[in-house]
Amino acid sequence: MSRSCRSYLLWFAQEHTEFRFAEIKSLLSLFKIEMRFIKQPKDIEPYWLVEFNSENDVKLLASRSVSLKNCMELWAHGKTVSELHRKMKEYPMHLIKHYFEPSKSFKIEVETFCKHVSQQEKVSKIEAFSYLPMCGRVDLKQPDVKMQYIEYYGIEANNPPEEPYDVFFGRWVTSGLRQLIKKLSLKTRKFIGNTSMDPQLSLLMANQAKITEGDIVLDPFVGSGSLLVAAAQFGGYVLGTDIDYLMLHGRTRPTRIKQTIREKDESVKANMEQYDLSHRYLDVLVNDFSASFWRNDFKFDAIITDPPYGIREATEKIGTLKKNYKVKEEHLPTHIPAKIDYGISNIYGDLLLFAAKHLKIGGCVVCWFPVFREDYNEKCLPSHPCFTLTANSEQGLSKVTSRRLLTFEKIREPTVEEMQQYTCNISDFREKYYEAREESRTERRLRESKIRQDNREKHELSKSLT
Ligand SMILES: C[S@@+](CC[C@H](N)C(=O)[O-])C[C@H]1O[C@@H](n2cnc3c(N)ncnc32)[C@H](O)[C@@H]1O
């Protein structure tokens, strides 16, 4: 390793680990950062050993990453404690001696990953570094230089080995954006719905979509707008559409168990105000995605969305199965159109066709896609000739089902033929879902009649509100 490229230890959160690679890959591409692995990472390990060309690169990466917890400049790495200290003693001191000047306060932090050790043991681990020429005063609150000593005992907290597998020492450089997850928690959010997206996943989606300052971002199945919050947080100007009038007007049944009626001012806009993001909010509009109303030449920078799967909410579009159906002139002003089923193949076909027309080249569509684990192979994913699939990570939902977070990057404009209808040839998740649950015909009839009843109530309420 050349000394101009420093080694860094990236320490990740052990949560939603399956999205780690996709997030970091997107951020490296967004900021045009080069990163090289010193050691090929293993999926189960919470750390990566890497090289960057400059420390600014690692700071930039961490300034956007929600998977990343901490990052340190690695001074020594050993398989045992004695190997670590031997290597640290051999480290070219002239490269780091300025951190030990008398004017610089310092602190050494000890972490034993997956093993509890007493405070006294921690102190003796710190004292083992007494050979370092530190001259400044110790400051435990706001040190000028924070060093980190980490012993890694694997990931099984209930059964850690006697000795650590790996030991690391270095200078803390920066932290990731984990605090944002708490700030955007659904527990304290003004307006949520039954399918509001968890903030960590929303932020990961916005990162995978490479959203940057000034981008125009659309969620065409916006619901309570969780994805807009994340996109706005990273500088996007956001707008959304949804077929559900009541949802967009904050008039659906309350989601929180203890809440009996919704507050008057619950809305996507109120969420934006809650997080001081109003200046990023363009609007939300009631729209059936199968009937696009956008000007042909209008382009978005990114589309992030969680389309309906038909399990917790209906998958519907405007339409009727009645032949030659015509609404009488006098009913037109208050008419609320009937809806028909919107199959998964059509939803994803429409999404990629829409994105082919309305996304800039290089722009990304980031969306969830439900699958049956046993049936899964890449061929069953939606695809379109104008897009390349750049990320595909799985989140397990149950033993048999999962959803995959897909990122499609637009590589070219569609031809005239490709601007026409586009249906993805993918199997209907719902059919198999209910088969797998061995839902009896009666149960299914009851459940479907409940959805219909809910829809009738919604329909009536929408009428009374318009
Ligand atoms: C899984 S939810 C999205 C939840 C959203 N990400 C959130 O955080 O609240 C899917 C949304 O798609 C909407 N939807 C269903 N069919 C639609 C259609 N044809 N056009 C537009 N939106 C539709 C539903 O009303 C629902 O709000």
Side-chain angles (χ1 to χ4, degrees), residues 312-345:
R312 283 190 293 170
E313 73 290 79
T315 49
E316 294 174 324
K317 61 180 180 176
I318 308 274
T320 174
L321 297 175
K322 291 180 193 157
K323 283 200 179 130
N324 306 323
Y325 180 71
K326 209 160 180 277
V327 184
K328 286 190 184 139
E329 192 75 26
E330 68 267 29
H331 293 151
L332 276 176
T334 54
H335 174 69
I336 294 185
K339 293 180 192 136
I340 53 169
D341 185 50
Y342 193 9
I344 281 189
S345 296

Side-chain angles (χ1 to χ4, degrees), residues 195-197 221-222 224 226 242-243 287-289 306 313 316:
T195 54
S196 288
M197 183 64 69
F221 300 97
V222 72
S224 66
S226 315
D242 200 290
I243 199 168
N287 169 238
D288 170 7
F289 185 60
D306 181 23
E313 73 290 79
E316 294 174 324

Side-chain angles (χ1 to χ4, degrees), residues 371-377 394 399-402 432 436:
V371 293
F372 258 83
R373 284 176 149 174
E374 61 175 20
D375 293 349
Y376 172 73
N377 66 61
E394 182 185 34
K399 265 192 199 154
V400 285
T401 59
S402 67
K432 184 109 196 239

Side-chain angles (χ1 to χ4, degrees), residues 186 189 191-198 202 205 219-228 241-245 247-248 268 285-291 304-310 312-318 339-340 342 347 350 368 403 458:
L186 295 180
R189 189 172 296 175
F191 172 52
I192 58 166
N194 291 343
T195 54
S196 288
M197 183 64 69
D198 152 279
S202 307
M205 289 176 77
D219 179 353
F221 300 97
V222 72
S224 66
S226 315
L227 305 183
L228 300 192
T241 57
D242 200 290
I243 199 168
D244 192 340
Y245 176 98
M247 172 60 83
L248 292 193
V268 176
L285 303 161
V286 179
N287 169 238
D288 170 7
F289 185 60
S290 72
I304 55 173
T305 196
D306 181 23
Y309 319 142
R312 283 190 293 170
E313 73 290 79
T315 49
E316 294 174 324
K317 61 180 180 176
I318 308 274
K339 293 180 192 136
I340 53 169
Y342 193 9
I347 292 180
D350 286 351
W368 290 96
R403 58 179 179 177
K458 276 187 182 177

